[in-house]
Amino acid sequence: MGKKQPKKITKSAALQKVVDERFQRKGGGILRREVWRNASGQVVAYNLAYINTRLCGVDNGRILGYDNNHGHHHRHFRGAVEDVEFTSYEDIETRFQEECYAIWQEE
């Protein structure tokens, strides 16, 4: 028996994109945030990314990212991808922000 595949999250007309932000960092790079909610107001899809092609030559320059595309919650870090435990979108957003700040301190 094969492993049960997670349900793919699609961004259909029933979803509303509530966040679509792109910020240029003074120190270089781009912060990208996209968030979709369903009719009940629940976050059902998200894409958070810190992109800096000068510092990362893989994964389209994505140094750090979190998203739930492809039917599962996962983290991108300098080309590596790993599944993450999902408790809430707010927890993922907080983790993303804390990791971005730590990376910027190293830069």
Side-chain angles (χ1 to χ4, degrees):
M1 295 219 156
K3 184 178 173 184
K4 185 177 177 183
Q5 294 296 317
K7 183 179 175 186
K8 183 167 173 98
I9 298 166
T10 58
K11 297 172 184 85
S12 69
L15 301 182
Q16 180 180 9
K17 193 174 201 180
V18 294
V19 177
D20 188 359
E21 300 174 331
R22 185 180 188 101
F23 299 103
Q24 185 75 37
R25 282 197 66 239
K26 262 187 179 177
I30 296 169
L31 278 176
R32 181 80 172 123
R33 292 177 65 235
E34 297 176 291
V35 179
W36 291 263
R37 292 186 185 269
N38 63 15
S40 302
Q42 177 186 17
V43 172
V44 293
Y46 60 91
N47 177 32
L48 309 171
Y50 168 44
I51 302 161
N52 192 330
T53 55
R54 290 183 304 126
L55 301 176
C56 186
V58 295
D59 200 9
N60 297 311
R62 181 171 25 194
I63 292 177
L64 176 66
Y66 284 88
D67 66 77
N68 64 338
N69 289 326
H70 316 296
H72 62 102
H73 303 275
H74 54 281
R75 174 183 182 259
H76 298 254
F77 186 70
R78 298 185 187 269
V81 180
E82 65 182 352
D83 288 348
V84 294
E85 183 178 343
F86 181 81
T87 54
S88 71
Y89 168 74
E90 292 76 17
D91 288 342
I92 294 288
E93 173 76 34
T94 298
R95 184 173 172 183
F96 174 72
Q97 289 177 14
E98 289 172 352
E99 288 183 50
C100 280
Y101 293 135
I103 291 167
W104 298 334
Q105 294 300 314
E106 294 173 5
E107 292 176 3

